Coordinates of all heavy atoms in Angstrom, one line a residue:
A1066 N -6.0 -0.8 5.7 CA -6.4 -1.8 6.8 C -6.1 -3.2 6.5 O -5.8 -4.0 7.4 CB -7.8 -1.5 7.0
A1067 N -6.4 -3.7 5.2 CA -6.1 -5.1 4.8 C -4.7 -5.4 5.0 O -4.3 -6.6 5.4 CB -6.6 -5.3 3.4
L1068 N -3.8 -4.5 4.6 CA -2.4 -4.7 4.7 C -2.0 -5.0 6.2 O -1.1 -5.8 6.5 CB -1.5 -3.7 4.0 CG -1.6 -3.6 2.5 CD1 -0.6 -2.7 2.0 CD2 -1.4 -5.1 1.9
R1069 N -2.6 -4.2 7.0 CA -2.3 -4.4 8.5 C -2.7 -5.7 8.9 O -2.0 -6.3 9.7 CB -2.9 -3.2 9.3 CG -2.4 -1.8 9.0 CD -3.0 -0.7 9.9 NE -2.8 0.5 9.5 CZ -3.7 1.3 8.9 NH1 -5.0 0.9 8.8 NH2 -3.5 2.5 8.5
T1070 N -3.9 -6.0 8.6 CA -4.6 -7.4 9.2 C -4.0 -8.4 8.6 O -3.6 -9.4 9.3 CB -6.1 -7.2 8.9 OG1 -6.6 -6.1 9.5 CG2 -6.8 -8.5 9.4
V1071 N -3.8 -8.5 7.2 CA -3.4 -9.8 6.5 C -1.9 -9.9 6.4 O -1.3 -11.0 6.6 CB -4.0 -9.7 5.1 CG1 -3.5 -11.0 4.3 CG2 -5.6 -9.7 5.1
Y1072 N -1.2 -8.8 6.2 CA 0.3 -8.8 6.0 C 1.0 -8.4 7.1 O 2.2 -8.6 7.4 CB 0.7 -8.0 4.8 CG 0.4 -8.5 3.4 CD1 -0.9 -8.4 2.8 CD2 1.2 -9.4 2.7 CE1 -1.2 -8.9 1.5 CE2 1.0 -9.9 1.5 CZ -0.2 -9.7 1.0 OH -0.4 -10.2 -0.4
G1073 N 0.4 -7.6 8.0 CA 1.2 -7.2 9.2 C 2.1 -6.0 8.9 O 3.2 -5.9 9.5
V1074 N 1.7 -5.3 7.9 CA 2.6 -4.1 7.6 C 1.9 -2.8 7.5 O 0.7 -2.8 7.0 CB 3.4 -4.3 6.3 CG1 4.3 -5.5 6.4 CG2 2.3 -4.4 5.1
E1075 N 2.5 -1.6 7.7 CA 2.0 -0.3 7.3 C 2.6 0.0 6.0 O 3.7 -0.3 5.6 CB 2.5 0.6 8.3 CG 2.0 0.5 9.8 CD 0.5 1.2 9.8 OE1 0.0 1.5 8.8 OE2 -0.1 1.2 11.0
A1076 N 1.7 0.5 5.2 CA 2.1 0.9 3.7 C 1.5 2.2 3.4 O 0.4 2.6 3.8 CB 1.7 -0.2 2.8
E1077 N 2.2 2.8 2.6 CA 1.7 4.1 1.9 C 1.1 3.8 0.5 O 1.8 3.1 -0.3 CB 2.9 5.3 1.8 CG 2.5 6.5 1.3 CD 3.5 7.6 1.4 OE1 4.5 7.3 1.8 OE2 3.3 8.7 0.8
F1078 N 0.0 4.3 0.2 CA -0.6 4.2 -1.2 C -0.4 5.4 -2.0 O -1.0 6.5 -1.6 CB -2.1 3.7 -1.0 CG -2.4 2.4 -0.5 CD1 -1.9 1.7 0.6 CD2 -3.2 1.5 -1.4 CE1 -2.0 0.5 1.0 CE2 -3.4 0.1 -1.0 CZ -2.9 -0.3 0.2
L1079 N 0.3 5.2 -3.1 CA 0.6 6.3 -4.0 C -0.3 5.9 -5.3 O -0.9 5.0 -5.4 CB 2.0 6.4 -4.5 CG 3.0 6.5 -3.2 CD1 4.5 6.5 -3.7 CD2 2.7 7.7 -2.3
T1080 N -0.3 6.9 -6.3 CA -1.0 6.7 -7.5 C -0.2 7.0 -8.6 O 0.5 8.1 -8.6 CB -2.3 7.7 -7.6 OG1 -3.2 7.4 -6.5 CG2 -3.1 7.4 -8.9
C1081 N 0.0 6.1 -9.5 CA 1.0 6.3 -10.7 C 0.2 7.0 -11.8 O -1.0 7.4 -11.7 CB 1.4 4.9 -11.2 SG 0.1 3.8 -12.1
S1082 N 0.9 7.3 -12.9 CA 0.4 8.1 -14.0 C -0.7 7.4 -14.6 O -1.5 8.0 -15.4 CB 1.5 8.4 -15.0 OG 2.1 7.2 -15.6
A1083 N -0.9 6.0 -14.6 CA -2.0 5.3 -15.1 C -3.0 5.2 -14.2 O -4.0 4.4 -14.5 CB -1.4 3.9 -15.5
A1084 N -3.1 5.9 -13.2 CA -4.1 6.0 -12.2 C -4.3 4.6 -11.4 O -5.4 4.3 -11.0 CB -5.5 6.5 -12.8
R1085 N -3.3 3.9 -11.4 CA -3.3 2.7 -10.6 C -2.6 2.8 -9.3 O -1.6 3.6 -9.2 CB -2.5 1.6 -11.4 CG -3.1 1.1 -12.7 CD -4.2 0.3 -12.5 NE -4.7 -0.4 -13.7 CZ -5.6 -1.3 -13.6 NH1 -6.0 -1.9 -12.6 NH2 -6.1 -1.9 -14.9
P1086 N -2.9 2.1 -8.3 CA -2.3 2.3 -6.9 C -0.8 1.7 -6.9 O -0.6 0.8 -7.7 CB -3.1 1.6 -5.9 CG -3.9 0.5 -6.8 CD -4.0 1.2 -8.2
V1087 N 0.1 2.4 -6.3 CA 1.4 1.9 -6.0 C 1.6 1.7 -4.5 O 1.4 2.7 -3.7 CB 2.5 2.8 -6.7 CG1 3.9 2.3 -6.3 CG2 2.3 3.0 -8.2
I1088 N 1.9 0.7 -4.0 CA 2.0 0.2 -2.7 C 3.5 0.4 -2.2 O 4.3 -0.4 -2.8 CB 1.5 -1.2 -2.4 CG1 -0.1 -1.2 -2.7 CG2 1.6 -1.4 -0.8 CD1 -0.7 -2.5 -2.5
L1089 N 3.7 1.1 -1.2 CA 5.1 1.3 -0.7 C 5.2 0.9 0.8 O 4.6 1.6 1.7 CB 5.5 2.7 -0.9 CG 6.9 3.1 -0.3 CD1 8.0 2.4 -1.1 CD2 7.2 4.7 -0.4
P1090 N 5.5 -0.3 1.1 CA 5.6 -0.7 2.6 C 6.5 0.1 3.4 O 7.6 0.5 2.9 CB 6.2 -2.2 2.4 CG 5.9 -2.7 1.0 CD 6.0 -1.5 0.3
I1091 N 6.1 0.5 4.5 CA 6.9 1.4 5.3 C 7.5 0.8 6.6 O 8.7 0.9 6.8 CB 6.0 2.6 5.8 CG1 5.4 3.4 4.6 CG2 6.7 3.5 6.8 CD1 4.5 4.5 4.9
A1092 N 6.7 -0.1 7.3 CA 7.2 -0.6 8.6 C 6.2 -1.8 9.0 O 5.1 -1.9 8.5 CB 7.3 0.4 9.7

């Protein structure tokens, strides 16, 4: 929701092996 509001993008949130989020902008 913050990425939509602040950055104006849709993004997919993944989780890496270190349990940290990885953000993949989509559109």
Side-chain angles (χ1 to χ4, degrees):
L1068 289 189
R1069 295 187 197 104
T1070 302
V1071 176
Y1072 286 90
V1074 297
E1075 292 281 4
E1077 185 175 353
F1078 280 58
L1079 310 175
T1080 303
C1081 70
S1082 59
R1085 294 280 191 169
V1087 176
I1088 299 173
L1089 180 63
I1091 298 173

